[in-house]
Amino acid sequence: EEFHRLTISLDATPPVTSLSPGLPNYSDAAGTTYITSATLLTLTAFDALSGVSATEYKSDAAAWTPSAPFTLSSEGNHTIFYHSKDNVGNQETDKSFVAVVDNTAPVTIITASDPKYSAADGQLYLSAATVFTLSAADALSGIAATEYRIDGGSWTSYAPFTVAAEGTHNIDYRSRDNVTNQEAFKTLTLIVDATAPLTP
């Protein structure tokens, strides 16, 4: 008989899978990754020989699920486990990815220095020398920006400021965190009094 030949490729190497968070996402100096419930998480697997047969993941203690882009709904810390298997049964060792879901906007408060005066009717009077300070807090991903506007003008990046023109004014202010959760703006209404009394 003429000899026959069978050519084979030996594949003893499991696939390699990576996880990519979409936008918005933010990593702080400590390496913690923050996302929102709108952030799409995508798994990508590669196998150089027999090819990828299946990729699956689970979040925290949930069951393994076939791979497809997914999101995490509940706020807080989550650990995602994932792996792939190739067409000859080589399975990758489980990998993990830790993310913190942040769906809560920051909270900003405004403070006015002296001189200031609150009348009995609740109206706030200040002088042109009164300095306004904004402070913002965010429990998870942190503050990305704080801004204000006066009388419906353009939003301005925050630094301590004054209002010089005499009369009634509205100061709107808000903050945004590092995964783009933006606070609904708040408004402070005040009257600037720059005129001294007149005593006959």
Side-chain angles (χ1 to χ4, degrees), residues 36-58:
T36 73
S37 288
T39 303
L40 203 61
L41 302 167
T42 304
L43 294 173
T44 304
F46 172 76
D47 188 87
L49 294 172
S50 64
V52 176
S53 169
T55 299
E56 54 186 5
Y57 72 93
K58 67 176 182 177

Side-chain angles (χ1 to χ4, degrees), residues 17-20 39-45 54-73 78-85 91-92 94-97:
T17 310
S18 60
L19 186 151
S20 301
T39 303
L40 203 61
L41 302 167
T42 304
L43 294 173
T44 304
T55 299
E56 54 186 5
Y57 72 93
K58 67 176 182 177
S59 174
D60 303 318
W64 287 100
T65 303
S67 174
F70 63 98
T71 58
L72 299 173
S73 59
H78 297 277
T79 302
I80 302 160
F81 300 95
Y82 57 97
H83 60 225
S84 294
K85 183 169 61 177
Q91 182 164 299
E92 180 181 22
D94 290 353
K95 294 179 177 176
S96 64
F97 176 80

Side-chain angles (χ1 to χ4, degrees), residues 1-181:
E1 180 184 16
E2 293 290 332
F3 71 85
H4 303 277
R5 175 174 294 167
L6 172 66
T7 302
I8 62 170
S9 294
L10 178 62
D11 180 0
T13 304
V16 176
T17 310
S18 60
L19 186 151
S20 301
L23 296 175
N25 74 76
Y26 169 72
S27 294
D28 65 13
T32 303
T33 299
Y34 295 89
I35 61 175
T36 73
S37 288
T39 303
L40 203 61
L41 302 167
T42 304
L43 294 173
T44 304
F46 172 76
D47 188 87
L49 294 172
S50 64
V52 176
S53 169
T55 299
E56 54 186 5
Y57 72 93
K58 67 176 182 177
S59 174
D60 303 318
W64 287 100
T65 303
S67 174
F70 63 98
T71 58
L72 299 173
S73 59
S74 59
E75 192 167 67
N77 288 50
H78 297 277
T79 302
I80 302 160
F81 300 95
Y82 57 97
H83 60 225
S84 294
K85 183 169 61 177
D86 67 18
N87 284 296
V88 291
N90 295 308
Q91 182 164 299
E92 180 181 22
T93 302
D94 290 353
K95 294 179 177 176
S96 64
F97 176 80
V98 177
V100 181
V101 175
D102 178 2
N103 295 324
T104 303
V107 175
T108 309
I109 60 173
I110 189 168
T111 304
S113 72
D114 291 327
K116 62 187 174 194
Y117 167 69
S118 294
D121 61 1
Q123 185 61 63
L124 178 63
Y125 293 87
L126 310 106
S127 83
T130 301
V131 177
F132 295 92
T133 304
L134 298 176
S135 58
D138 187 86
L140 294 173
S141 62
I143 303 298
T146 298
E147 54 189 3
Y148 71 94
R149 66 182 180 185
I150 300 173
D151 299 330
S154 299
W155 287 102
T156 302
S157 295
Y158 166 68
F161 61 97
T162 59
V163 179
E166 191 167 62
T168 302
H169 299 280
N170 292 314
I171 301 173
D172 300 327
Y173 55 98
R174 66 187 183 187
S175 293
R176 184 179 69 253
D177 68 18
N178 283 299
V179 288
T180 71
N181 294 307

